[in-house]
Amino acid sequence: VISCDTVCAGGLEQLQSFTNLLNIKLRKAGSTQELQQLIAEMQGYDQILIDSPGINPFDTSDIKTLAKLLNTDTVDPYLVLPAGIDTEESGEMARAFAALGVHTLIPTRIDIARRLGGILAAAHSGKLAFSDASNTPKVAEGLFSLTPKSLAKLLMPGAYRESSKAPMPKARRTGTQ
């Protein structure tokens, strides 16, 4: 795990706590050059997770800063977006991130969202594919695969329960090197 979020108060410490729980080494990169150097040093790893700084997708300066971090062929950026946010805003955010080369969406906070239209609007507006999702505040419990079937269960739980007694998807732990 590499953190590029060196500005947010307590952000690095919080991520360090999570990586400690998962027994994963955390490294930090304060610039694009440092990030590229760390990525090069980690060649051969199955997966490298990069935590970018949180940005305002409507601020040109923030977008330029993130674009510099993403300016490498080795990074496959994902948009991590909480469920339950406004549909218009999430759509606008997704379009801004899609312009940076983001193709995939990981919805979070599904467990506390009452309306999932925001993540659907984001996926549609940004032409983003769904990946995994989070439905627990316990980060160490991981993610679950967001498939057409699990998405249908989330969007129409009452209708799905009537036709099947299958439980809602559970989070799974993900492993990294």
Side-chain angles (χ1 to χ4, degrees), residues 38-103:
L38 285 172
I39 290 171
E41 290 173 10
M42 299 170 109
Q43 290 301 317
Y45 279 54
D46 292 336
Q47 191 174 56
I48 302 169
L49 301 176
I50 302 169
D51 177 39
S52 66
I55 68 158
N56 176 349
F58 311 116
D59 182 296
T60 306
S61 175
D62 280 1
I63 288 290
K64 286 180 181 177
T65 300
L66 185 59
K68 288 178 187 175
L69 282 176
L70 298 177
N71 190 21
T72 175
D73 293 335
T74 58
V75 174
D76 186 16
Y78 287 63
L79 174 58
V80 178
L81 192 68
I85 63 174
D86 181 78
T87 56
E88 291 296 321
E89 284 189 40
S90 63
E92 289 178 27
M93 287 181 209
R95 283 190 296 275
F97 285 102
L100 294 174
V102 174
H103 301 288

Side-chain angles (χ1 to χ4, degrees), residues 81-130:
L81 192 68
I85 63 174
D86 181 78
T87 56
E88 291 296 321
E89 284 189 40
S90 63
E92 289 178 27
M93 287 181 209
R95 283 190 296 275
F97 285 102
L100 294 174
V102 174
H103 301 288
T104 311
L105 173 64
I106 299 177
T108 62
R109 299 182 186 175
I110 288 178
D111 55 321
I112 61 171
R114 295 289 181 235
R115 292 163 195 82
L116 299 176
I119 61 171
L120 295 176
H124 175 74
S125 297
K127 297 178 177 52
L128 306 176
F130 284 113

